Amino acid sequence: AALLLVPLRAASAQANLFPQGSVMGGVEARQYKFGDNFGVNHVRQVAFPIAAMVPIGQRFSVDVGTWYAITTVSRPGTSDESFSNLTDTQLRAAYVFGSDALVATVMVNLPTGAETTTLQKFNIASSASSNFLLFPVNSYGAGTSVTPGLSAATTAGDWNLGLAASARWSAEYHPFSDTANGANAVKYKPGIETRVRAGVDRLVGQGRFSLGVTFSTFSNDQLNGGSFGNGVYDPGNRFLVDASLATPVGGGTVNFYAWNYYRSTSSSSGTATSNAGGHEDVFTAGLSGAFPLGAKAAVEPVVEARFWSPVSGSGTLVGTGASLRYQASEHISLVPGVRVDVGTIKTPTTGSNSIFGWDLSALIRYGF
């Protein structure tokens, strides 16, 4: 969400990203419990999304979203630790040129979250920052940023082709309020992030095949002041490849999907960032569906497997779940859901540990 790119779509008669205005809210609770030797009993997060999408005229639209999240960490022999706060608010404006062939966006990250907090609370919040265990909220606050973006789509024979690019500029902020040299002594300046995405899709029989590639690169982050000293951090490049095939089955639709996320090795200099991170790879494949249960309801099952390959260790997670999409009225839709995950996580220090995860969610959307 920090680098929101407009979905790549072929030209169509619809000239607005949101043909209907809507507001959305709800709750999602997710927990992962680990084996006895892992050092953490469980991490749980309860998050409340708040979002609104408003079309203005035929070509201009605005959407805004934020979360309120409560993250709790349980460790052996200690009391549970929790951190709760509003996250940053993301405000995006989009303008569609022509017949949906070119879309320009500007996204502003408003620092309504906890960009400045204590080291203890930061450690609690960062326990949910994982590319392998996907919590609803993985960052509470990262200061002010602005992300302009541009995406274009066209057709070539049976294929739809799309290309999108964006760049995020972030302001300097104070991440900690309890450092040795006093509050706001530490300054953090994220580097500029540039993201490019290319995608294609086409009809295959009665279904549709889609393929996308995303590349992200960063200039150096800078950390200065306090007991951390001064340092420069290169986050490393990111690559994401995703593919899907959606096809009708019976009276519903089945979607086969897979994505692979790769983060290259980061580097650092200076005492502030002496522990640079290694590369990691996350591969996910799954099968989801949508099957009507009458005129107002549809069940949406999912089965998914995820494989994590960091520099050392590994992780495997297999999950299944379902949601129920119910159109309560012309304007109101409800989507309750449940999911269960089981797997293992292996680290050099703790060996192999079991994982058991669960997720409960309930969303409500009002269209106008």
Side-chain angles (χ1 to χ4, degrees), residues 1-8 150-151 162-167 193-200 210-218 236-243 258-264 281-282:
L3 271 176
L4 193 57
L5 289 177
V6 177
L8 302 175
L150 191 67
S151 66
L163 182 66
S166 69
E193 179 177 0
T194 303
R195 179 173 294 190
V196 178
R197 175 173 172 79
V200 298
S210 301
L211 175 66
V213 179
T214 305
F215 171 71
S216 301
T217 187
F218 305 78
N237 297 325
R238 269 76 161 168
F239 302 86
L240 176 66
V241 179
D242 57 274
W259 55 264
N260 191 87
Y261 168 83
Y262 177 79
R263 177 177 59 83
S264 62
D281 186 275
V282 182

